């Protein structure tokens, strides 16, 4: 409810001020609870030889246990993104295994392609991006990034407020 959100906000802000009194907090993001879908992980890591490398795999515990991921150099188009998605062992979970609804693979491919374009554009400023989980909703419903971390290449030279915002890339 709206009252629960307001109470949660007050609690969160009080804890943040208590933990780090000098922190500058610009606000909070409140989003709906995402139920269903398939957890995936997408990310970028800057390789010293190849530049930004895009990673895709099943999210949550699956990436830690099975290490079932696909890698490509950025940038990549939709066809390469679709290939990445199809080549992981966990692909049947996205395709609708055992009577489950197929996931929105096209939205996932667009997200991978856009992430790779962002990584290529900011290749000199970027160390890594980790979006885990990226929930892939049923076909036609899109994807939702639940948690994300963007790390600049050199924290001494860039602050989070000066790093290019990920949320400004439009699909």
């Amino acid at each position: 409810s709206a009252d629960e959100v307001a109470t949660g906000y007050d609690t969160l802000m009080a804890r943040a001020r208590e933990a780090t009194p000098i922190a500058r907090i610009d606000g909070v993001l409140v989003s709906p609870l995402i139920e269903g879908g398939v957890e995936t992980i997408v990310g970028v890591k800057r390789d010293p030889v190849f530049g930004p490398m895009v990673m895709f795999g099943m999210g949550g515990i699956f990436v830690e246990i099975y290490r079932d991921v696909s890698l490509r150099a950025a940038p990549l188009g939709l066809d390469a993104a679709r290939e990445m998605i199809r080549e992981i062992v966990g692909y049947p979970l996205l395709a609708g295994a055992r009577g489950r609804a197929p996931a929105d693979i096209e939205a996932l491919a667009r997200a991978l392609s856009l992430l790779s374009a962002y990584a290529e554009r900011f290749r000199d400023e970027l160390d890594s991006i980790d979006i885990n989980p990226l929930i892939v909703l049923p076909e036609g419903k899109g994807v939702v990034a639940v948690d994300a971390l963007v790390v600049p290449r050199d924290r001494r030279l860039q602050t989070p407020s000066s790093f290019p915002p990920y949320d400004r890339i439009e699909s």
Side-chain angles (χ1 to χ4, degrees), residues 11 33 40 76 78 102 120 125 135 168:
T11 301
L33 176 66
T40 64
L76 54 103
L78 288 173
E120 177 62 22
E125 293 92 0
I135 305 290
R168 290 200 186 144

Side-chain angles (χ1 to χ4, degrees), residues 57-112:
M58 298 307 293
I61 63 169
F62 294 109
V63 73
E64 296 169 14
I65 294 172
Y66 299 120
R67 306 220 184 270
D68 176 26
V69 298
S70 178
L71 296 169
R72 294 285 191 289
L76 54 103
L78 288 173
D79 287 338
R82 289 183 196 107
E83 287 175 14
M84 288 180 74
I85 295 165
R86 284 191 304 267
E87 70 190 22
I88 64 167
V89 174
Y91 174 72
L93 293 172
L94 293 162
R98 301 199 61 157
R100 294 181 68 168
D104 199 335
I105 294 170
E106 282 305 302
L108 177 57
R110 281 192 310 277
L112 280 166

Side-chain angles (χ1 to χ4, degrees), residues 25-26 151 154:
I25 302 171
D26 294 327
V151 179
D154 187 339

Side-chain angles (χ1 to χ4, degrees), residues 6 21 25 31 39 42 68 83 115-116 119 131 133 136 146-147 160:
I25 302 171
S31 61
E39 284 191 22
V42 299
D68 176 26
E83 287 175 14
L115 179 67
S116 79
I131 304 173
V136 186
V146 176
D147 194 6

Side-chain angles (χ1 to χ4, degrees), residues 40-45 52-57 70-78 81 84 107-123 126-132 134 143 145 147-151 163-171:
T40 64
I41 182 172
V42 299
V44 174
K45 179 72 177 153
M53 297 296 295
V54 179
M55 183 268 305
F56 166 72
S70 178
L71 296 169
R72 294 285 191 289
L76 54 103
L78 288 173
M84 288 180 74
L108 177 57
R110 281 192 310 277
L112 280 166
S113 182
L114 287 168
L115 179 67
S116 79
Y118 182 86
E120 177 62 22
R121 180 175 174 197
F122 297 106
R123 68 183 297 131
L126 181 68
D127 180 58
S128 64
I129 299 174
D130 180 24
I131 304 173
N132 185 19
L134 178 73
V143 299
D147 194 6
L149 176 65
V150 178
V151 179
F163 196 72
Y166 178 74
D167 62 355
R168 290 200 186 144
I169 291 192
E170 304 276 330
S171 62

